[in-house]
Amino acid sequence: MISKGEMSRAPLESDAALPQRSMEVLRALVQLYIETGEPVASREIARRRKDGLSAATIRNIMAELADHGYLDQPHTSAGRVPTAKAFREFAKPYLAGRILANELARVRQELSARGSLGARAEYASHLLTELTRHIGISAAIPGHDQVLEQVEFVLLPPARVLMVVVTRDQVVRSQVAQLAEPSTQEELASIRNYVNCNFAGWTLSGIRRELERRLGLESSAYDSLLRRLTVLYDQGLLDIGLAPMVYLEGASNLVGLDLHLTKEHLRDLLRALEEKRRLIALLDQFLEGSGGEICLQVGLGDIHPAMQDFALVGLNLQMPGGLDTKVAVLGPMRMNYPRVMSAVLHVGQALGSLPQ
């Protein structure tokens, strides 16, 4: 028998907003699935409702939701599970977010205790993991307008030198270069003084253009200081300031989750998360053009097959000194979306508002 409620319910339009009752059922089903990880039956939703809506009516609504791509049925005799489309719909109300003054002040205090912008970006990934129990990711991506504060060179055996570049945004980068011929610390000090005296306050891109001009002059071939500077320049001096800083914490949390992954797939996933280039591609692809607003991507199979049932919540921001930064949480689709989005919002707001 068809109940009155079933006869009066209008069918779903594929591109239209869900009717209120369909949305209520969908949200209840997604919430139950997040809590249990098991397919959800209509009687479980009916049991939680207080309006007396029958299990039969709910079952009919669930069938329509499935027809429009919101639900799957893993087995004919089982309940339904939400699809990526359902999780996106469920999470929409939380995208706007709400800043809590006390929480923002706490996060800012913890981040401000880290002296440099790089250290703050690194600690942001720790905070995101601590707040969500998922994978916290932060990436600080220097631009070409970074301004040089100073360089330092430290002689290392055998015939190597540690190159340290400090920019005005207090980002410190280092790299080891191999020398073509033996050198002394005094000779390296002369090169340091030359660079610092001539180029402190210049942008890194401007320094590179000027150095290329000077090193290209015929007279430079007869200048021992410039010859040694050429070696360091060819080894990546001043390029190291442009490499993105990528930090990830919480990958071990994957082990305790019921992700239905084989050991081989889990190992491949962990290996993929260790590749900074892949992480940057992930953040660039799904946070592009977010304009400081929280972005949500559900289903990351395009990045890695083992991420098919994962979701990414993140945002773009700019730290003091013009350092483009991305913060994000990577976790299973069955994540606590209000908590994760709140964590990303507060950490992002705190990072962007701290003084240099």
Side-chain angles (χ1 to χ4, degrees), residues 12 14 16 18 26 65-66 68-72 81-83 85-86 89:
L12 296 179
S14 58
L18 288 175
L26 180 65
L65 288 169
H68 288 82
Y70 290 98
L71 303 179
D72 275 337
V81 298
T83 63
K85 183 178 181 180
E89 192 69 35

Side-chain angles (χ1 to χ4, degrees), residues 8-20:
S8 63
R9 185 178 63 256
L12 296 179
E13 296 293 336
S14 58
D15 296 324
L18 288 175
Q20 180 178 347

Side-chain angles (χ1 to χ4, degrees), residues 124-136 249-250 253:
S125 66
H126 169 78
L127 275 177
L128 290 170
T129 296
E130 183 181 77
L131 292 169
T132 67
R133 302 302 175 194
H134 296 306
I135 298 174
E249 186 168 327
N253 291 333

Side-chain angles (χ1 to χ4, degrees), residues 81-100:
V81 298
T83 63
K85 183 178 181 180
F87 280 109
R88 283 192 291 271
E89 192 69 35
F90 176 83
K92 275 183 183 177
Y94 308 112
L95 284 172
R98 187 165 64 94
I99 294 292
L100 303 177

Side-chain angles (χ1 to χ4, degrees), residues 162-210:
L162 175 66
M163 305 186 297
V164 181
V165 175
V166 183
T167 49
R168 286 281 171 85
D169 53 15
Q170 300 305 303
V171 173
V172 180
R173 289 307 186 86
S174 62
Q175 182 172 306
V176 175
Q178 186 72 41
L179 296 174
E181 56 188 62
S183 185
T184 67
Q185 186 62 55
E186 290 73 20
E187 290 170 331
L188 292 176
S190 297
I191 300 175
R192 174 202 63 200
N193 293 338
Y194 177 86
V195 174
N196 290 340
C197 290
N198 283 272
F199 298 114
W202 285 47
T203 64
L204 297 187
S205 56
I207 298 172
R208 280 193 294 276
R209 286 192 298 270
E210 178 61 16

Side-chain angles (χ1 to χ4, degrees), residues 287-324:
L287 300 184
E288 183 180 5
S290 67
E293 298 180 354
I294 290 181
C295 287
L296 168 67
Q297 179 67 31
V298 182
L300 307 174
D302 290 344
I303 291 292
H304 193 283
M307 292 187 187
Q308 181 63 44
D309 295 325
F310 277 75
L312 180 81
V313 177
L315 57 77
N316 289 321
L317 62 119
Q318 193 168 75
M319 292 173 68
L323 195 62
D324 289 330

